[in-house]
Amino acid sequence: MNWVRTSLLMAGLTALFVGCGYLVGGEGGMLIALALAGFGNVFAYWNADKIVLRMYGAREVDRTSAPDLVRLVEQLAQRAELPMPKVYIIEQDQPNAFATGRNPDNAAVAATTGLLRMLSHEEIAGVMAHELAHVKNRDTLIMTITATLAGAISALANIAMFAQLFGGNRNSPLGFVGVILVMILGPIAAMLVQMAISRTREYGADKMGAEICGQPLWLASALEKMQNAAARTDMDTAEKNPATAQMFIVNPLHANAIDGLFSTHPKTEERIRRLRALAGEARPWG
């Protein structure tokens, strides 16, 4: 059911992008939007993982430089029947983690130094199992495509704004009204669809991650600690690039009021409640 819902949301996001292109430039704008979507997705498919790892200054580790983490990921990957992903560490105090890569054969998982320092071995296992669930479900590719389309819609909104500033756009079928719709409503609609896709995939990764490590409460305990710590600890790179927040297991944003616009994660309380229910220990938050 998650896959059906995600497919429908992605189709809606693509249609929204093409519709924005039509409102900005008529049939020609629609064709340009299609071409941009195709080029952007091809580029993201091959390069997005490298870009985001470089953005966060992630360094690849192995059995020599981080033996405990690499061995743990290897064991979990075997349980999940996945190829061994590359493992990275990010020098950040905030406890967090993400997965990236276009498919299971080209995947990577990354954990912050704050996570490795703050969580127990069992809790780290729960987090890494969650990230491997994203890999197994191919969520990393889905998130890359949705982020690319959402970014392209924002770019179209900027084009519409500049076109209006420099004499208007005669190709827009609704004229000034169409341009205004794209400028204001396009990015908001894209953001809402992106949020819906991300939240759907997070619940699925929590459930599968619990199955991979065999202990739902490990992940539940990790989420509680990470959420409390993330609320007190900045992650500057994420604050400067808020669209990447959807990649992390808990929302890394909190410093600015505008961060609420990028709340792509479901409520941590609800995630923990579901995990506890899986373990037969459902109880109120706190």
Side-chain angles (χ1 to χ4, degrees):
M1 194 62 195
N2 277 348
W3 272 105
V4 172
R5 187 180 306 167
T6 300
S7 297
L8 290 173
L9 288 168
M10 290 182 67
L13 189 59
T14 303
L16 175 65
F17 181 49
V18 174
C20 287
Y22 178 72
L23 289 176
V24 171
E27 293 183 2
M30 182 174 65
L31 293 175
I32 292 173
L34 279 172
L36 286 174
F39 173 79
N41 283 328
V42 169
F43 179 83
Y45 179 84
W46 290 104
N47 298 286
D49 55 339
K50 304 178 187 69
I51 292 172
V52 74
L53 288 167
R54 190 178 303 115
M55 180 187 299
Y56 282 91
R59 58 182 174 86
E60 187 174 359
V61 294
D62 55 25
R63 281 181 172 271
T64 301
S65 53
D68 292 341
L69 178 61
V70 172
R71 190 177 301 113
L72 175 61
V73 172
E74 186 174 31
Q75 293 170 349
L76 291 168
Q78 290 174 353
R79 287 177 60 91
E81 298 181 343
L82 286 169
M84 177 63 183
K86 293 181 179 179
V87 182
Y88 289 82
I89 290 179
I90 300 170
E91 295 290 337
Q92 289 281 351
D93 289 333
Q94 185 185 106
N96 227 317
F98 67 80
T100 187
R102 60 185 180 271
N103 55 42
D105 291 319
N106 296 274
V109 294
T112 65
T113 50
L115 180 142
L116 299 176
R117 184 171 59 250
M118 184 175 297
L119 302 190
S120 69
H121 180 80
E122 290 77 14
E123 290 164 343
I124 294 172
V127 171
M128 291 296 101
H130 171 97
E131 298 307 333
L132 289 174
H134 276 311
V135 173
K136 193 174 182 69
N137 289 334
R138 295 179 184 263
D139 293 338
T140 50
L141 177 59
I142 291 171
M143 295 306 179
T144 295
I145 293 174
T146 56
T148 301
L149 287 173
I153 290 173
S154 295
L156 273 180
N158 291 331
I159 291 172
M161 179 182 68
F162 281 111
Q164 205 56 40
L165 288 175
F166 292 98
N169 186 355
R170 297 179 182 179
N171 294 323
S172 176
L174 297 182
F176 178 73
V177 174
V179 173
I180 292 298
L181 286 174
V182 173
M183 288 170 57
I184 298 176
L185 299 182
I188 294 175
M191 178 190 64
L192 292 174
V193 174
Q194 191 179 15
M195 286 166 55
I197 292 173
S198 180
R199 290 177 179 182
T200 298
R201 305 317 305 167
E202 285 302 315
Y203 282 133
D206 283 346
K207 185 175 185 297
M208 181 174 284
E211 294 170 354
I212 291 172
C213 71
Q215 296 288 343
L217 294 183
W218 290 357
L219 179 55
S221 177
L223 286 173
E224 186 170 5
K225 286 185 179 180
M226 294 168 71
Q227 181 64 33
N228 291 335
R232 303 189 304 268
T233 312
D234 287 339
M235 185 182 289
D236 293 337
T237 307
E239 297 290 349
K240 294 174 183 177
N241 302 276
T244 63
Q246 63 168 336
M247 299 178 55
F248 288 87
I249 186 170
V250 297
N251 191 350
L253 307 176
H254 66 85
N256 305 306
I258 196 172
D259 292 343
L261 295 175
F262 295 92
S263 182
T264 55
H265 296 67
K267 291 287 187 181
T268 304
E269 298 94 326
E270 176 61 17
R271 295 172 69 182
I272 292 173
R273 186 194 68 77
R274 293 188 183 201
L275 287 165
R276 285 174 173 166
L278 284 175
E281 295 187 24
R283 60 181 182 271
W285 167 255

